[in-house]
Amino acid sequence: MSNTNTSFVLQKIDEISFEQRDMPIAGPGEVIVNIKATGICGSDVHYWTHGSIGHFICKAPMVLGHESAGIVSSLGPGVTSLKVGDAVALEPGVPCRNCEMCKIGKYNLCPDMKFAATPPYDGTLCNYYKHAADFCYKLPQSISLEEGAMMEPLSVGIHAARRGNVKLGDRVFVFGAGAIGLLTAAAAKAAGASHVTIADISESKLDFAKTYSADKTILLTKKRSEGQDSNDFARQQAEEIMAEHGVELANVVFDCTGAEVCVQTSVFLAKNNGCVVLVGMGASVQSLSVADISAREIDVRGVMRYCNTYPTAIEMLASGKIDVKALITHRYQFKDALKAFQHVKEARQGTIKVVILNE
Ligand SMILES: [Zn+2]
Ligand SMILES: [Zn+2]
């Protein structure tokens, strides 16, 4: 399978199949990467089951996957930063490099971003993927290719911690104990947070969080009573969390769920002058207590993927400050990619990250 460009293609909603695609040819400044490991992301599964995410709509068949690492197999003209045989992690979004956002270094906000497996751009679940050489990051020998694939979700955590401006001694609260919540917590701790609490509705996820990046975990069980205002419920939930679990107001609260009730509660868990970082993606319109945000000067900050994080992610891993291996709970061969997607879709217990390995 490895000498042909077998690709895992979303044909239309609920229909994925393998296709033999043309072998890519590297143009100036590009390389071809023989993909070896790809993590499955919630967004990949969402395109499969819904055909769209927000205003990104699949109108044509699209190769899935964007969390990849592999081996450089050929170089286009002018590439001097890499050699054939180098192990690299792929940063899946290539911006225009010319616009205002690119020039100020916030290239994640480039309006002309070409991001793998975001329509109309093909993803990385194939044998050979063409990519800009400057968005391929050489992995040291101490980092495996499957760990290299984890540089993408770790990048989300690092960027979130930066957006939250986590400082030495900060108390941090995280909603969501999935891969992104865990990695955001890990990045916050590495950035100096003194205490990280992670809350979720899944006991098994919290059990894992305890062994990974959480100092304290909280199982969310409360439900809003009928007719109760959602922000009143959120305020009450925050008060109960603090009273029952001995948690103090946090300098930075990360919502990694997108669930409105969690975002609302985040506001009430943030200290005066604190920060709420919106990492998760949920309903596009949500109601927050503006009075609290305003009177207590809480910064509510958005997060769009990441920028300038790959070198940091690799350094954190190479130095042992952050571990990503523990998050890889399941592995599938590329030929069984559909089974891997089904696994993620079913949200099987004990699953954090599923990685697809090419031969
Ligand atoms: Zn992802
Ligand atoms: Zn740009």
Side-chain angles (χ1 to χ4, degrees), residues 41 90 94 119 226 228 237 261 297 313:
C41 178
L90 270 61
V94 179
E226 225 179 275
Q228 187 181 18
Q237 176 166 252
V261 61
E297 292 198 353

Side-chain angles (χ1 to χ4, degrees), residues 144 146-147 150-151 177-179 182-183 186 204-205 207-213 317 322-331 350-355:
S144 67
E146 63 177 25
E147 289 173 308
M150 294 293 289
M151 296 302 92
L182 294 167
L183 287 167
S204 66
K205 281 189 179 165
D207 286 342
F208 182 82
K210 254 176 247 168
T211 70
Y212 187 66
S213 49
L317 211 68
I322 292 180
D323 165 51
V324 293
K325 199 159 198 159
L327 302 187
I328 304 174
T329 50
H330 298 81
R331 296 167 177 82
T351 303
I352 308 282
K353 183 57 88 176
V354 176
V355 172

Side-chain angles (χ1 to χ4, degrees), residues 41-44 66-67 152-153 156 353:
C41 178
S43 71
D44 293 310
H66 61 270
E67 303 178 359
E152 203 273 350
V156 176
K353 183 57 88 176

Side-chain angles (χ1 to χ4, degrees), residues 259-271:
E260 186 177 41
V261 61
C262 295
V263 180
Q264 289 169 330
T265 307
S266 297
V267 172
F268 300 114
L269 284 172
K271 242 180 181 170

Side-chain angles (χ1 to χ4, degrees), residues 243-288:
E244 287 169 22
H245 299 275
V247 172
E248 292 172 34
L249 289 171
N251 300 82
V252 190
V253 185
F254 295 93
D255 174 66
C256 300
T257 69
E260 186 177 41
V261 61
C262 295
V263 180
Q264 289 169 330
T265 307
S266 297
V267 172
F268 300 114
L269 284 172
K271 242 180 181 170
N272 289 7
N273 189 42
C275 184
V276 172
V277 186
L278 308 178
V279 190
M281 284 199 295
S284 56
V285 177
Q286 305 190 0
S287 130
L288 300 184

